[in-house]
Amino acid sequence: MSALLVPPSRVPQPRNPGMALRTITAETYRAFLASPAGAALGAGFLQCPSWADVKEGWRAQLLGWGPDPEAGQLTGVALVLLRQFPGTRKYFAYLPEGPVADWNDPDVDDWLGPLLEHLRRAGAFAVRIGPSPAYRRWDAALLKPLAGPGRRLGDVLASEVDPLGTAVAERLRARGWRRCGGEGTGANGTGGDGDAQPRHVFQVPLAGRTPEDLWSGLNQEWRRNVRRARNEGVEVVVGSAAELPEFYRLLGITERRDGFRLGRSLAYYERQYAVLNAEEPGRMKLYLARHRGEILAAHTMITVGRRAWYQTGASTDHRREVRPSNALQWRMLLDAHALGADVYDMRGVPSTLDPEERTYGLLRWKLGTGGQVVETLGEWERALGGSANHALHRAFQAYLNRR
C-alpha cells in the first residue's frame, strides 16, 4: 500500500494551536483505530488503511489530526481516495464513510477546515464525505405491518430520530455542503440516488444480548428456516481464498436472478480478501453453506473493532428450499456476537415498503432478523472554493452521470 500513499508532509494548521493535521503512516493510523479513543469512534472497514489497496485507479492519503499526529497523539483520522479528472491535474477527493472523527465535537472546524484546505492544496477540486452519525431508525416490528402499495420509509414515523445526526446535517449545510442523494429517502434502490454507499442499512444490535436473545429476536419464519436448514443437513463452514472463485460464480447467478449488477471482478474480491486479512488476520471471512457436498450459498463478513458487516451474499437457483442463506446468517450473527461486536450490520436495504417492488424482498428478508433500518446521513459534497473548481465539479458530476 505504501506505493499508493502520498509521502508525509506539512499541511495548513488549524486555528486551535493545540491541534495539528498531518499525513501519517499506516502504522500510526492503525494504532489509533486500535486505541480506546480511536475504537470509540467506530471506524468502518472503508476507512481502514487496507481499503486503499482494494480500490484500483485511486491515489490515497492517510491523514490524522490531534495534539501531535507524528507521535501518534490523534483525535481523528481519514483515508482519502483521490481520483484524477480526465485531462486535468485535478482530483476528486472521496472519504468513503469517513472521516473517522468525533462529530459531537463543537469545534469541528478545528479539523474540518484544515482538512479541506489540505485537500485543496493537494489538487482536489471537490470532496465527498460520509459522516458516521445515524439520522433515523425504524424497528423491524414497526415496519413489517405497514408495508403497502406505494409506501416508502419516509412515509412512516421513525422509531428514533438521532439528535446528533440532525445537528451534523445542519452544521454541514451551514458550511456549504450538499447532501448527494437529496433530502428524501430516494426513489428506489438503497438510498439517495447520488450516494455511492447505501444510505439505508439494516443493523442487528448485539451489545448486552445473549445468543438466546438473538434467537428470540428472529421472527417465526426465520426460526423455522434455520431449523429447516439444520434438519436438511446444511453445513456452514468458514472457507478460504481457494473458494472465492466459487463464491464469484454464485454471485453471477444471484445478480442475474435478482436483477442487479455490482460490476466487480473476481480479482477485486481476491484482492480485498488478501489485503484486509494481511492488515488483520480474520478481518474478512468467507462463509459457505454446503448441502450434499455442494456449495449452495456463500456470504462474506468483515469485522473492525466492535463492528461486523455482512458485505456480500451469493446463492444458487436450486435447492433454495433447504434455506442455506438463513443458516449462513444465523452462524454469522453468532460469530459476530462471540467476537464481541456491538452491532451486526447487514448493509444496504431499499427505501421501498411496497411488496410489489422487486427490491422489497431484500428488506423483508432482513426484517426477519428483528433489527432496525437505519438511515445514515448519507454522503455530502462540496467544491473547494473558486470558480474553476466549481466548474470542474459540475463537469465531473456530468462525467459520472454519463458513465
Side-chain angles (χ1 to χ4, degrees):
M1 186 181 75
S2 59
L4 287 172
L5 299 179
V6 176
S9 62
R10 296 276 173 175
V11 294
Q13 295 305 298
R15 294 171 301 171
N16 180 349
M19 180 79 69
L21 188 148
R22 301 278 192 277
T23 54
I24 58 176
T25 66
E27 291 72 20
T28 299
Y29 192 113
R30 293 189 190 103
F32 173 70
L33 293 185
S35 70
L41 300 178
F45 63 92
L46 298 178
Q47 278 291 297
C48 286
S50 57
W51 199 251
D53 284 339
V54 177
K55 303 301 291 181
E56 289 189 323
W58 298 75
R59 295 173 59 198
Q61 287 191 1
L62 297 178
L63 301 177
W65 52 91
D68 190 349
E70 291 158 328
Q73 297 179 30
L74 297 164
T75 57
V77 293
L79 165 64
V80 182
L81 300 176
L82 297 165
R83 188 69 172 260
Q84 190 169 8
F85 185 68
T88 76
R89 295 183 179 180
K90 304 287 279 184
Y91 295 88
F92 178 73
Y94 180 38
L95 287 68
E97 298 188 0
V100 183
D102 179 7
W103 288 99
N104 202 35
D105 182 359
D107 298 320
V108 64
D109 288 320
D110 281 345
W111 58 264
L112 185 57
L115 172 64
L116 297 182
E117 177 61 16
H118 166 71
L119 294 175
R120 187 188 66 79
R121 293 194 179 193
F125 60 87
V127 60
R128 175 182 289 201
I129 61 175
S132 58
Y135 180 41
R136 294 184 289 184
R137 300 175 185 269
W138 293 266
D139 293 335
L142 170 68
L143 291 176
K144 188 173 181 181
L146 295 179
R151 301 210 72 178
R152 312 201 70 77
L153 281 171
D155 299 326
V156 179
L157 187 65
S159 305
E160 177 187 345
V161 177
D162 192 316
L164 177 58
T166 302
V168 170
E170 291 174 353
R171 284 184 179 184
L172 291 174
R173 289 190 196 97
R175 289 160 175 79
W177 293 84
R178 180 185 64 85
R179 201 178 190 194
C180 297
E183 297 302 320
T185 55
N188 50 51
T190 57
D193 293 336
D195 294 326
Q197 304 304 324
R199 179 181 294 186
H200 296 91
V201 298
F202 195 86
Q203 296 180 350
V204 181
L206 303 180
R209 303 176 72 189
T210 66
E212 291 73 23
D213 294 331
L214 297 178
W215 177 255
S216 63
L218 303 179
N219 68 14
Q220 186 177 9
E221 181 182 3
W222 259 80
R223 291 196 297 268
R224 182 171 61 248
N225 288 342
V226 173
R227 290 193 190 102
R228 175 74 180 272
R230 185 184 304 130
N231 293 337
E232 292 285 350
V234 173
E235 178 191 16
V236 177
V237 298
V238 177
S240 67
E243 285 83 26
L244 284 173
E246 180 63 10
F247 159 77
Y248 188 71
R249 185 185 73 82
L250 296 180
L251 182 58
I253 293 172
T254 305
E255 290 177 334
R256 291 188 292 273
R257 179 181 68 237
D258 295 344
F260 70 92
R261 173 127 180 94
L262 295 176
R264 294 168 182 154
S265 65
L266 172 60
Y268 174 91
Y269 291 104
E270 291 175 330
R271 184 169 62 251
Q272 182 186 106
Y273 188 90
V275 300
L276 265 63
N277 287 321
E279 184 171 61
E280 182 176 309
R283 169 149 288 168
M284 180 176 178
K285 293 180 180 177
L286 176 64
Y287 285 79
L288 310 171
R290 290 196 179 103
H291 184 246
R292 299 176 185 170
E294 180 184 1
I295 298 175
L296 296 184
H299 295 179
T300 58
M301 186 172 84
I302 299 175
T303 55
V304 178
R306 299 182 68 87
R307 297 176 66 189
W309 293 262
Y310 158 46
Q311 188 195 20
T312 307
S315 61
T316 64
D317 285 339
H318 62 278
R319 271 190 265 167
R320 300 181 71 193
E321 70 279 2
V322 301
R323 306 299 180 184
S325 292
N326 294 93
L328 279 175
Q329 286 300 310
W330 176 238
R331 167 69 183 275
M332 291 162 70
L333 263 171
L334 291 178
D335 283 3
H337 180 270
L339 289 169
D342 291 332
V343 173
Y344 180 68
D345 192 322
M346 300 181 78
R347 295 294 280 170
V349 291
S351 60
T352 181
L353 294 175
D354 187 342
E356 296 302 315
E357 291 193 30
R358 188 172 191 173
T359 55
Y360 175 75
L362 177 64
L363 174 60
R364 181 182 179 278
W365 186 70
K366 294 182 181 182
L367 286 173
T369 63
Q372 296 178 319
V373 174
V374 179
E375 181 182 5
T376 69
L377 283 182
E379 296 186 325
W380 297 69
E381 270 188 24
R382 60 165 290 180
L384 294 181
S387 57
N389 281 346
H390 279 275
L392 271 177
H393 188 209
R394 290 192 295 270
F396 186 71
Q397 290 172 321
Y399 164 74
L400 290 179
N401 291 335
R402 291 195 303 269
R403 293 181 65 189

